[in-house]
Amino acid sequence: MIYFDAAATTLEKPMQVRRAAACAINGMSSPGRGDHPASRAAEETAFRCRTEAAELFDVDKPENVIFTFNATHGLNIAIRSLVRPGCRVVISGYEHNAVTRVLHAIDDVTVTVIDTPPFRPDLAAEEFETAIGAGADAVICNHVSNVFGCIQPLERIAGSCRKRGIPLIVDASQSAGVLPVRMDELGAAFIAMPGHKGLYGPQGTGLLLCGADAAPILFGGTGSASRLQEMPEDLPDRLEAGTHNMPGIAGLLEGIRFVKRTGTERILAHEQRLAARAAELLEEIPGVRVYGADDPDDQAGVLSFQAEGRDCEELGAGLAQRGIAVRSGLHCAPLAHRTAGTLEQGTVRISFSVFNTLDQVDEFAAQLRQILRENVTF
């Protein structure tokens, strides 16, 4: 199978990730819940994972790295810690339902959407500056769109927030492990990310980087301050109720190490090279519209397209029958499609990992061309 759905989950993992997760199933119990070897091994692995993540993302203290189930879990904590009824929130026009549905669930929140066209970072930065200057209680922005791969001008947006003392929440779901994500430079209140995408960890893992006070959304045992009925005040215990996913954390530790060894610059360059090749081949196919950047530096390894007169879901199914995994539809981000004008039909999305090759891109384009030429329905 040619797997071009890394924006959902990186399916192919480094061997060390798979090995670590398998070993943890039999060798680790719960960290902080005992003095026996299985608990100690879990505690040491969890601490190493926090430490390595703090180094990769320039977080001041390892205890400010919180383990979550996924980016959605982290975004829920972050948003519910900062946004209350009556708040004014500025968001990009490319936010995932992991942001918009949380905001929708909070009463009386005024949301300003920066709905600039994709791949217009200068315009987006200007619109954010204007909206933030008009007054906001919080700003939420993804680093890279999961639909179009457009890279947001995050440093400039963060600067606008710092200038006015407005907290910033960053969704790094498509950038962690691919682009530099530096907590200290951004000065963000929170940065949420999955472990199972660009960090090459197992599913069911994520990280929340905390630069502000956070309110727990799960309550329960932490292995600490057990006499209290309130959640502990100190991180990470305050936000980590219940048993940890130690096979996931052990695998995530090795995924982070893989990213650090490989280097985000090399990973990004590889994925951009694949995306550029795919865009070039797609643009040669009659009737295909590609949503790509004029400047390749404005786009990560995510690319969307449509084919005139063809249903995107059908194209995705046709490619799947030929052994090519893509994602079709709205990608859990209807706001992004509304902003780009693709809400009615959605798009076919291809997204890459470090394990994909140019030969796979060529094969994908050849198979798509054949499907369109034959005008087959699925």
Side-chain angles (χ1 to χ4, degrees):
M1 177 174 65
I2 295 176
Y3 186 80
F4 283 170
D5 198 18
T9 292
T10 48
L11 185 63
E12 188 172 359
K13 311 290 186 183
M15 179 61 70
Q16 303 95 314
V17 171
R18 289 179 277 169
R19 188 182 300 122
C23 289
I25 290 174
N26 292 317
M28 296 181 195
S29 59
S30 296
R33 267 72 163 184
D35 291 322
H36 50 80
S39 179
R40 290 294 186 190
E43 188 171 354
E44 182 180 345
T45 297
F47 178 75
R48 287 204 308 265
C49 190
R50 287 189 217 279
T51 301
E52 299 247 7
E55 291 174 357
L56 179 60
F57 300 115
D58 289 340
V59 181
D60 220 12
K61 302 173 183 177
E63 55 264 35
N64 287 359
V65 176
I66 306 302
F67 295 124
T68 60
F69 308 137
N70 43 49
T72 299
H73 180 196
L75 286 166
N76 270 263
I77 295 172
I79 294 169
R80 291 186 175 275
S81 294
L82 294 179
V83 179
R84 298 286 184 269
C87 280
R88 300 161 299 170
V89 182
V90 178
I91 68 174
S92 85
Y94 298 90
E95 298 309 309
H96 191 277
N97 279 343
V99 168
T100 59
R101 283 181 172 174
V102 185
L103 292 174
H104 181 75
I106 303 172
D107 292 334
D108 192 29
V109 174
T110 300
V111 179
T112 299
V113 179
I114 307 303
D115 55 355
T116 54
F119 311 112
R120 297 287 300 279
D122 289 339
L123 179 59
E126 292 169 7
E127 294 291 335
F128 264 103
E129 171 71 18
T130 300
I132 293 168
D137 297 298
V139 173
I140 307 173
C141 187
N142 61 32
H143 198 174
V144 174
S145 166
N146 74 305
V147 178
F148 301 104
C150 46
I151 300 173
Q152 301 279 20
L154 189 58
E155 291 77 10
R156 295 166 66 181
I157 295 167
S160 297
C161 291
R162 290 195 305 270
K163 184 168 60 178
R164 295 173 176 83
I166 297 172
L168 170 66
I169 298 172
V170 177
D171 178 359
S173 292
Q174 303 300 331
S175 62
V178 179
L179 287 166
V181 179
R182 300 189 175 97
M183 186 76 171
D184 61 345
E185 290 186 9
L186 293 172
F190 298 100
I191 301 176
M193 63 189 68
H196 62 98
K197 298 185 184 184
L199 295 179
Y200 294 91
Q203 291 95 321
T205 61
L207 299 173
L208 178 66
L209 314 181
C210 295
D213 292 337
I217 60 174
L218 290 176
F219 298 80
T222 60
S224 62
S226 294
R227 291 182 181 275
L228 298 177
Q229 287 304 287
E230 298 81 19
M231 290 296 288
E233 290 296 324
D234 295 335
L235 296 178
D237 290 5
R238 183 166 178 75
L239 302 178
E240 291 183 3
T243 300
H244 290 74
N245 174 11
M246 286 314 304
I249 291 170
L252 178 57
L253 169 60
E254 293 302 328
I256 290 171
R257 287 173 170 171
F258 171 79
V259 168
K260 291 169 78 172
R261 285 195 305 271
T262 308
T264 55
E265 287 186 2
R266 286 180 59 198
I267 293 172
L268 176 62
H270 176 71
E271 293 186 10
Q272 285 179 326
R273 186 161 52 248
L274 296 174
R277 176 64 173 164
E280 177 187 358
L281 293 175
L282 287 170
E283 286 168 352
E284 294 174 354
I285 302 175
V288 170
R289 178 178 180 182
V290 180
Y291 293 87
D294 293 332
D295 184 344
D297 289 337
D298 292 337
Q299 186 166 16
V302 179
L303 186 70
S304 269
F305 69 93
Q306 297 172 329
E308 184 179 359
R310 300 301 299 267
D311 180 77
C312 289
E313 300 281 1
E314 285 191 357
L315 287 179
L319 288 165
Q321 288 187 9
R322 293 166 182 257
I324 301 171
V326 301
R327 175 91 182 265
S328 299
L330 299 183
H331 318 100
C332 298
L335 178 60
H337 288 281
R338 185 177 295 115
T339 300
T342 56
L343 182 61
E344 183 176 349
Q345 183 181 354
T347 60
V348 181
R349 182 189 72 188
I350 54 176
S351 51
F352 306 106
S353 83
V354 72
F355 295 107
N356 293 126
T357 67
L358 289 171
D359 286 344
Q360 290 178 333
V361 173
D362 293 346
E363 177 64 17
F364 151 76
Q367 292 294 338
L368 177 66
R369 186 184 287 272
Q370 187 171 349
I371 289 171
L372 295 175
R373 185 186 303 120
E374 295 174 354
N375 199 27
V376 177
T377 57
F378 298 89

